[in-house]
Amino acid sequence: MGIDSFCSLDGSDPFWDWNRTWNASSPDLTRCFQSTVLVWVPCFYLWLCAPFYFAYLKWHDLGYICMTHLNKAKTVLGFLLWIVCWADVFYSFWERGQGTARAPVFFISPTMLGITMLLATFLIQYERIKGVQSSGVMLNFWLIAFLCATVSFRSRILQTINETCSDPPPSTSTSLWASFLSKITFWWITKLLVQGFKRPLEEKDLWCLNSEDQSQKVVPQLVRCWNHECSKSSFYRTSEKTVYSPKRSAVERSRGEKDRPPMEESEILLVKSSQNTSEPSLFLALCRTFGPYFLVSSLYKIVHDILMFVGPEILRLLIRFVNDGSAPYWQGYFYTSLLFVCTCVQTLILQRYFHVCFVTGMRLRTAIVGAVYRKALVITNAARRTSTVGEIVNLMSVDAQRFMDLITYINMIWSAPLQVILALYFLWQNLGPSVLAGVAVMVLMVPVNAVIAMKTKTYQVAQMKSKDNRIKLMNEVLNGIKVLKLYAWELAFRDKVSKIRESELRVLKKTAYLGAVSTFTWVCAPFLVALSTFAVYVMVDEKNVLDAQKAFVSLALFNILRFPLNMLPMVISSMVQASVSMKRLRVFLSHEELDEDNVNRKAIAGSSDSISIVDGSFSWSKTDNPTLKRINVLIPEGSLVAVVGHVGSGKSSLLSALLGEMHKQDGAVSIKGSVAYVPQQAWIQNATLRENIVFGRERKESWYQSVVEACALLPDLEILPAADATEIGEKGVNLSGGQKQRVSLARAVYCDTAVYLLDDPLSAVDAHVGKHIFDKVIGPQGLLQGRTRVLVTHGLSFLPQADLILVMVDGEITETGSYLELMGRQGAFADFLRTYANTEQTEEEPGELVLFYLSSPSAEGQVSGGCQTDRGRQGQNWAGTGASYQSMRARLYHSRIDILLSKEPLHNYRYTITKFIILRMIVYFLCLLKVKLSVFWEYMKAIGICLSCISIFLFLCHHVASLGSNFWLSRWTDDPVINGTQPYREMRLSIYGALGITQGVAVFCYSISVSIGGILASRYLHETMLYNVLRSPMAFFERTPSGNLVNRFSKETDTIDSVIPSIFKMFMGSMFNVLGACAVILIATPLVVIIIPPLGLLYFFVQRFYVASSRQLKRLESVSRSPVYTHFNETLLGTSVIRAFGDQQRFIHESDGRVDLNQKAYYPSIVANRWLAVRLEFVGNCIVMFAALFAVISRDNLSPGIMGLSISYALQVTASLNWLVRMSSELETNIVAVERVKEYGDTEKEAEWTLEGSKPTTGWPTAGHIEICSFGLRYRDDLELAIRNINVIIEGGEKVGIVGRTGAGKSSLTLGLFRIIEASEGEIRVDGVNIANMGLHDLRSRITIIPQDPVLFSGTLRMNLDPFDGYTDEEVWRTLELAHLKNFVSGLPDKLNHECAEGGENLSLGQRQLVCLARALLRKTKILVLDEATAAVDLETDNLIQSTIRTQFEDCTVLTIAHRLNTIMDYTRVLVLDKGQMAEFDSPASLLAKKGLFYKMAKDSGLV
């Protein structure tokens, strides 16, 4: 090993460099030379001389010298140098243990130097024993060592200066290369703060996280420790019971609910029964992961706690100095300097302690978020049912935050008792046994705080439950907002949310009362301790004189005692909250995971079969009855397999079993090769269209173009503003249903796998598009030819081309075979076909026959019966449900990307947009905002001006009483001593006690008033925000991410509920403490007036300088937090797709990246806090120093009592100043929550819900006559008209079909009728009334719609039908009978009170659509609108809906937007739209005869 590699592993630190020594303007030695030669030379010298010198001393004994102070100092210095050297060695070993490679020189040189220092110390003592007074050998050693150390010291200073002035390496945290001095003062972040002061900070200004703080390092450590805990534990769910639960998982949404059999409509929830077996400890896992680093903070804390007691001791010496007029002045100056140095050292150590704590908290949050995300990707469906999406997101946000908050003060659990013990020890030294009275008071406080903590935990659990329920409901309201507006149900759901909110606020109010009692106890505790101690001290013996030294040293100790007594209840409360969060996290992380062995992915040896299931039996959980049973399937490689069956027969469940999503009770499943999966409900990411299709795979341009073309996406790319670079909103908000399904299919096709599992992908597209996709992609000649394809379908026209058909009935495969084989058997399959289509007849039926048939009067009834003989019925199940182009266009243009880009000409370039560019733009916009005083004023108004003023007055009373009691104490201590005792002591004690009681009353009252005021503000702000959001138009929801809205109702509301009131209390307390301290110091030593203004200006400048950057960092962190939750939410909805494609690691990496981006903004903010604290505490330390200095100067005309009061207040001012700035910053950053909640009051609103002057008459509309005159509307002011010049008169009772190609404007017309979008020109009259002059609820409640997507809300079935309770149970049951749901509902345990799951997911898709039909039947208005209501359902449900509509709405005006033309062939008239204009309007027969647009569409659908 060469000398260079001895000094640095990579040889980067040479032994000698002429350019740094001889050829440099400021010569310096290399670090290698300093660490070797300069260390070794004095060592070699001493070790060479030591044997000879030792022999010399042994033979020349000059006598024994007694131990002197100088000799002791030499020995102590030698030992200290030895300890420093060994500390250096241990630090190097610790760094190596943390994974940092260290060169040998860092171990060998300090070891050698340490041993040499020990030898030198031994020789010093040996010289004394042998009588040597002075030694040339040792003098030369120390001289050489000093010279060598001076060279190294000069080099370190130069290095520090260079590092401080130089820029950091790009994209790295400056903390890695900062010097020691820069690290302990946090100077290294100053450059970033200067940038933030000059201009708004952006994401590019931030440094990358240190590697040890990144997710890829932190999360695996926690996961490894948690897995170790789980392996130790015998925690297996062996005894479980099943109960009904309304909850269903997002995973199951993607499976397609309608394929669950009827017996599975009731949900099953696994509930763990009580077990004696041990559970894995998340606490131990966290300790193992973060404990070693966190222990460093404990060391800092111990040193800091000890240094805290130096101040009162120096105060004792200063008071003694003032009392002793003969003491020289230098002693006073010495004590002042010592006090200043001690407080500065204390500051630096305390801030290092906080830094370690906050970094640990940051890593803890990173680890929890990562662990929850990884777990969410692997838990079983049964486990997912126990947690809604909102609850799991809360684990990552609220619960992880609770751990971060706790970590900062968790050391107080042992530190507080230590501080109390030390304080009591010094108090005992000062006041003797009288201190036991104070101890008794503290002991009495313990049970009070214990009871409060226990009750707080109970309330905490209740509050979290209410919060989860409220967020879950708000999530549903926001997802189903269109349905709420169409049905005019906003008020009903506002009341539901408000009801949950009120229960939450009731718990908050109880917590506030408890908090007031808690605040009273811990604010009054130090005073009560002081009062009881002083009272006992002066009353037990008349000779006990309470002089300034005893009183103010005791008072300083009591002030030290105040902090642990104040903090302990808060820490206990935080621990209680964290224990609730830990239990929630432990339960989630302990959930059962999917068994990877459910499906054998290895190639089936010696078999040509691609998929094999042998004697398969599958259920959704271990305790469920089998959903699929006796499944035996062999699918040859490369074949096309169709799976058919009625609703609930188990088709989608079969695909889930093949994916390993179901619990395998019996049998074996094997799949050869990779798998791609297309769910029934398309899962779309918030990314560009291209990213959604490529899905993380390598971009192959030719293959990509082929896939896009085959999946019929080329026309869509032409109308999207940025083609395939268009950013798709959350849940594909700016795509229609058909587009989403085609993108989902294109994703699977592009991935080019061996096996394709397709869950009815053609149901959501138009008929001609479905045929195109089957021919070009799925069919025998499609892109996937030669691949194994399993297609669940209702499209019967595709079945003849399938190689194999599986017929499913009640979870079993009853028949298998080709189309011809199954038809020949005349079994269940043949019956199934005969029910819905007569294929042979329709194949031969010419177009003219259809024309003749429709023109025949006798045909009308047969057609209205469902057109079962029509060829269109054969293909109707793949007729599309996609929302019209205009509806999609509205969403698209209102999406965020279009807002950013729509002003640019599209033909100039193609856009490449990513979410991070959008994020930066939002950040830049947010950073430009300032928190205005108006926000504080709004918050005060929300509390109530009167209550706000009362609260401030009570704060003032409390601090005036506190000041008065301490001033009274100083006067007491200055009382003259007569005959060994003080007169008037009873009077002094009584008034001192009365002032203390006044403090307590004021504390209790202001705590109550602030908490109640906070609750009043919370109620008002939440209600206002809820009302404003519900009043917003649909355009607002289409351009605002749901994550932002949910964040307002969860995180921001939680901040207003809990955080702001407590911060306000602490801010007011700190401000009055600082003002009181300054007043006392000024009264005691008026000379301080010289220094306080400049220190005040310095304080103000530092605070403003910090706040400018701090606010921007806070907002950067806040804005980068939302994408973490958005991505997690998105992942939860698509877990089955992610698992099917095997992309778990890619999504984990993406989540980790987003978390790191968020922490990249959080880390500088915590360092900036420490930077501020160091500088502000330095200002406070200066105040202490000058207060002491001027007291020393003025000692001749200053009483000991006033001086003691002045310095004891000065000792508090440092902490108070630091706390004041922290609280003012916290208040300013958290008040942003009020700003963000209030901002929705300024957004655009819909028209009024009700207009008193223009209420319609009872029973309106009576005829259902609709007159559309020159009607046109646009989606945004700067866009062209979406539909224009529509002139239509529809008589009452007419049945009118509305048809047109994609983008013709069908849905736009419906939106105009409901005034979801207001008219730009013309008008619509219903029974002669202009709808533009009506209140929105008056209009929407008198028109009924059955929407395309059947949306249900969590709650009872009755609430979903009649949220206003406007109908009797008999009417509801009658409606259910007409909707063909009576038998199903009667069979439920709770009947009408049956709890629907989130999104109604414990009902099949068909049943949800029938519930929507029941809603329409219950309202029974004269106008009914069907928005492609049956496009996505199976044939059976379609038949039920169509027959009910024909019979029950016979005398009503029915408007039907249809893709399946055969459903409207018996309608009175058909309105054909084209490019936003009316193209044709006549009876179906007449339109067919004209051979215009309608004829072409009928031909494409196979009707002619």
Side-chain angles (χ1 to χ4, degrees), residues 144-161:
I144 295 168
F146 176 76
L147 290 173
C148 291
T150 302
V151 175
S152 294
F153 185 65
R154 173 188 172 276
S155 181
R156 294 291 169 90
I157 291 173
L158 290 173
Q159 182 186 351
T160 300
I161 293 169

Side-chain angles (χ1 to χ4, degrees), residues 82 398 447-448 534 688:
W82 174 69
V398 178
V448 175
F534 290 157
T688 65

Side-chain angles (χ1 to χ4, degrees), residues 321-353:
F321 165 78
V322 171
N323 282 331
D324 184 5
S326 62
Y329 271 94
W330 71 263
Q331 289 183 2
Y333 299 137
F334 172 72
Y335 293 146
T336 301
S337 304
L338 188 61
L339 186 61
F340 180 69
V341 170
C342 283
T343 50
C344 286
V345 172
Q346 192 178 330
T347 293
L348 295 176
I349 289 174
L350 180 64
Q351 299 318 315
R352 285 307 302 175
Y353 160 74

Side-chain angles (χ1 to χ4, degrees), residues 1080-1137:
V1080 167
I1081 294 166
L1082 281 169
I1083 292 167
T1085 50
L1087 279 173
V1088 174
V1089 77
I1090 301 167
I1091 204 68
I1092 279 186
L1095 285 177
L1097 284 173
L1098 177 61
Y1099 163 83
F1100 181 77
F1101 170 73
V1102 168
Q1103 199 258 0
R1104 286 290 97 196
F1105 180 76
Y1106 157 80
V1107 166
S1109 299
S1110 170
R1111 189 189 300 126
Q1112 294 156 31
L1113 288 169
K1114 179 84 173 176
R1115 283 181 168 147
L1116 276 170
E1117 190 271 330
S1118 179
V1119 173
S1120 63
R1121 193 193 312 128
S1122 290
V1124 175
Y1125 303 141
T1126 302
H1127 178 71
F1128 184 56
N1129 207 348
E1130 190 176 82
T1131 301
L1132 285 174
L1133 297 175
T1135 45
S1136 58
V1137 177

Side-chain angles (χ1 to χ4, degrees), residues 313 503 533 616 622 660 669 911 1014 1254 1256 1391 1429 1500:
E313 290 305 303
S503 69
T533 305
K622 287 182 177 179
V669 183
Y911 306 106
S1254 59
K1391 297 186 170 48
D1500 285 342

Side-chain angles (χ1 to χ4, degrees), residues 305-316 338-339 342 346 426 560:
D305 288 353
I306 293 168
L307 283 174
M308 281 175 68
F309 293 93
V310 174
E313 290 305 303
I314 296 174
L315 175 61
R316 182 199 305 276
L338 188 61
L339 186 61
C342 283
Q346 192 178 330
F426 286 109
I560 290 174

